Amino acid sequence: MSSHGTPIPMTSYPCGPLSGVAEVPGDKSISHRSLILGALSVGETKISGLLEGEDVLDTAKAMRAFGAEVTDHGGGNWSVHGVGVGGFAEPDQVIDCGNSGTGVRLIMGAMATSPIAATFTGDASLRGRPMGRITDPISEFGAASYGREGGRLPMTIVGAAQPVPVRYVVPMPSAQVKSAVLLAGLNAPGQTVVIEKEATRDHTERMLAGFGAEISVEDTDEGRVITLTGQPELQAQTIVVPRDPSSAAFPVCAALITKGSDVLVPGIGLNPTRAGLYTTLREMGADLTYENERVEGGEPVADLRARYSPDMTGIAVPPERAASMIDEYPILSVVAAFATGKTVMDGVKELRVKESDRIDAMAVGLRSNGITVDETEDSMTVHGLGPESVPGGGEAASHLDHRIAMSFMCLGMGSQNAVRVDDGGPIATSFPIFEPLMARLGAKLERA
Ligand code: S3P
């Protein structure tokens, strides 16, 4: 089932070269944070390039329910009149975050230190995902949570009336957990300290500093120690959202595996905490170049140029790189099928609790398309068949997971036979223009 309707089966046929310019939408992580931090600020935050995917639209709706004035001015331009730190109103309706783990987890953190209650739910995928990783730290601030067995949604959070600051060591590599704790810390008096053993995407830290919070980051033997001083007055900002490197991965990788391709993907955010896929692809021998490197809105940005790469070889992806490419393993496993030799992806058990169990979803779908895949709880190994040798011809289940659906659509472009997914509907959560954008490059996608 798609998140908001009947399933949309899709087929991707083998196609000729992909060529042209692929202008992918705004960054999903930064889009969620722009709306949430805008809602917690005083004044009018102006956002351009906002990702208008279902996930982010659900966060916009949620911010309205908490009292912010969120306006869509068209063309990716939005404004948010915030209520200030501690100013959230109690929503009079259930907050439905759809498919979005980032949305629900960050918002739970943001409201956990206000004296209000809110009930959260989401689609079948989100209702199956663990929320204990958020309810544990917010309980230390004094918030209470009442959810289903195993810490699942629907769940009611009662925010702390008299929050206390916390010192929290994030037990798994998760930018969502780190961010939820920092957002909760905003309305606690004193200093909240978050420690992460492995660096994860740092947009929350960067943006909190941009909105005027007092926040410092120190690399120590214990890990990255982030210290936030609570109860700041956040100042409204003008935000230009860079294009999403995780969305760019699809046209880039499709070009690498489709004969004769040459695709330019301009203006991609290449924050080092997000760019692990591109490092990995270059190590595999991909013809991938960064052009016109620059800094925009405080984030490093470049134009990516990807050309067909028949000489790629499998590698062992360093596990310590996992956090910087966590959303890109599904599409990397597709590229790995077209490389010569084994690609070993280790240290990736977090993939099992994403929108779907991504190790299982990719392994099963790749096997049905003629590719050998081994999996353990924490790893996936793809046995590459080399260029022009991937049979395809199979069907994959997308399990309400946008990145699984798009990965298999890309697989079909370079395979010998068409690849089907049972439901391409979830693609709209993060990349609503995927089909027309890929079609313009030369992909043959069909809804059937
Ligand atoms: C995100 C963090 C990651 C990532 C997700 C977006 C964020 O999740 O998979 O797509 O914006 O903070 P985890 O925090 O679970 O690793």
Side-chain angles (χ1 to χ4, degrees):
M1 285 285 286
S2 67
S3 47
H4 297 296
T6 47
I8 303 172
M10 282 174 58
T11 305
S12 174
Y13 294 92
C15 61
L18 299 169
S19 65
V21 177
E23 295 194 323
V24 306
D27 190 275
K28 184 156 70 70
S29 294
I30 296 175
S31 293
H32 282 295
R33 288 161 173 78
S34 301
L35 293 167
I36 295 169
L37 289 174
L40 291 170
S41 300
V42 173
E44 186 185 40
T45 287
K46 294 185 174 145
I47 309 166
S48 59
L50 189 86
L51 165 63
E52 293 174 337
E54 287 170 2
D55 277 12
V56 175
L57 297 178
D58 285 329
T59 289
K61 253 189 257 163
M63 289 303 97
R64 288 190 188 112
F66 282 98
E69 202 179 301
V70 183
T71 311
D72 174 4
H73 300 281
N77 297 306
W78 289 63
S79 61
V80 184
H81 259 286
V83 293
V85 168
F88 271 170
E90 186 166 85
D92 61 4
Q93 54 194 293
V94 172
I95 304 298
D96 186 345
C97 288
N99 190 250
S100 182
T102 307
V104 76
R105 290 179 173 141
L106 268 55
I107 297 168
M108 281 178 173
M111 58 79 53
T113 45
S114 290
I116 55 173
T119 300
F120 296 89
T121 192
D123 70 5
S125 156
L126 193 58
R127 292 196 307 274
R129 297 179 67 185
M131 295 299 146
R133 55 180 61 196
I134 302 298
T135 55
D136 285 351
I138 66 175
S139 73
E140 296 190 19
F141 286 96
S145 58
Y146 306 90
R148 286 195 305 132
E149 180 77 32
R152 316 276 156 175
L153 302 178
M155 178 175 282
T156 298
I157 307 286
V158 180
Q162 280 170 337
V164 290
V166 309
R167 180 183 172 86
Y168 192 73
V169 181
V170 183
M172 70 290 287
S174 170
Q176 292 174 356
V177 175
K178 168 180 66 178
S179 302
V181 178
L182 289 171
L183 292 171
L186 276 178
N187 200 36
Q191 291 191 325
T192 285
V193 179
V194 187
I195 299 158
E196 56 177 5
K197 290 175 216 141
E198 297 168 52
T200 63
R201 65 191 69 196
D202 62 357
H203 307 301
T204 303
E205 297 92 300
R206 288 178 186 240
M207 292 178 75
L208 276 169
F211 275 84
E214 205 181 308
I215 182 166
S216 66
V217 181
E218 213 188 330
D219 285 313
T220 71
D221 291 346
E222 235 187 323
R224 270 182 94 238
V225 180
I226 307 156
T227 306
L228 172 74
T229 303
Q231 301 183 325
E233 184 169 293
L234 298 182
Q235 298 300 328
Q237 296 296 305
T238 297
I239 298 169
V240 180
V241 180
R243 298 182 196 275
D244 197 322
S246 301
S247 296
F250 297 103
V252 163
C253 290
L256 299 178
I257 63 172
T258 306
K259 202 172 177 184
S261 297
D262 185 349
V263 167
L264 185 73
V265 195
I268 299 307
L270 286 173
N271 178 316
T273 61
R274 297 285 298 281
L277 171 73
Y278 300 108
T279 307
T280 301
L281 291 172
R282 285 165 139 186
E283 286 175 4
M284 292 171 78
D287 186 348
L288 176 66
T289 50
Y290 291 2
E291 298 179 359
N292 199 12
E293 288 180 58
R294 56 206 186 265
V295 174
E296 278 176 13
E299 293 277 346
V301 164
D303 305 335
L304 299 188
R305 180 155 200 177
R307 296 185 181 88
Y308 177 55
S309 301
D311 298 323
M312 289 185 288
T313 48
I315 62 164
V317 183
E320 61 275 14
R321 194 180 290 159
S324 69
M325 52 180 289
I326 194 67
D327 290 336
E328 282 67 74
Y329 283 97
I331 188 62
L332 176 64
S333 69
V334 168
V335 174
F338 293 81
T340 303
K342 275 194 300 195
T343 294
V344 182
M345 295 162 262
D346 210 351
V348 293
K349 65 172 179 292
E350 274 293 301
L351 294 179
R352 296 211 179 266
V353 290
K354 295 292 179 187
E355 286 84 330
S356 66
D357 175 342
R358 287 181 169 163
I359 295 179
D360 198 57
M362 288 311 300
V364 171
L366 287 171
R367 286 180 197 131
S368 114
N369 284 283
I371 301 140
T372 302
V373 183
D374 309 322
E375 59 177 296
T376 69
E377 184 55 27
D378 193 29
S379 77
M380 172 163 58
T381 299
V382 174
H383 297 255
L385 293 168
E388 295 183 67
S389 309
V390 173
E395 167 142 353
S398 62
H399 298 285
L400 283 179
D401 189 331
H402 52 135
R403 298 201 200 280
I404 301 299
M406 289 187 278
S407 295
F408 283 108
M409 290 292 89
C410 292
L411 177 71
M413 295 171 204
S415 294
Q416 292 163 346
N417 298 284
V419 172
R420 289 177 301 281
V421 291
D422 64 338
D423 184 12
I427 293 172
T429 61
S430 70
F431 200 159
I433 59 167
F434 177 77
E435 289 168 81
L437 181 146
M438 293 307 302
R440 266 200 304 280
L441 296 178
K444 291 187 190 144
L445 303 178
E446 205 175 86
R447 291 184 176 211

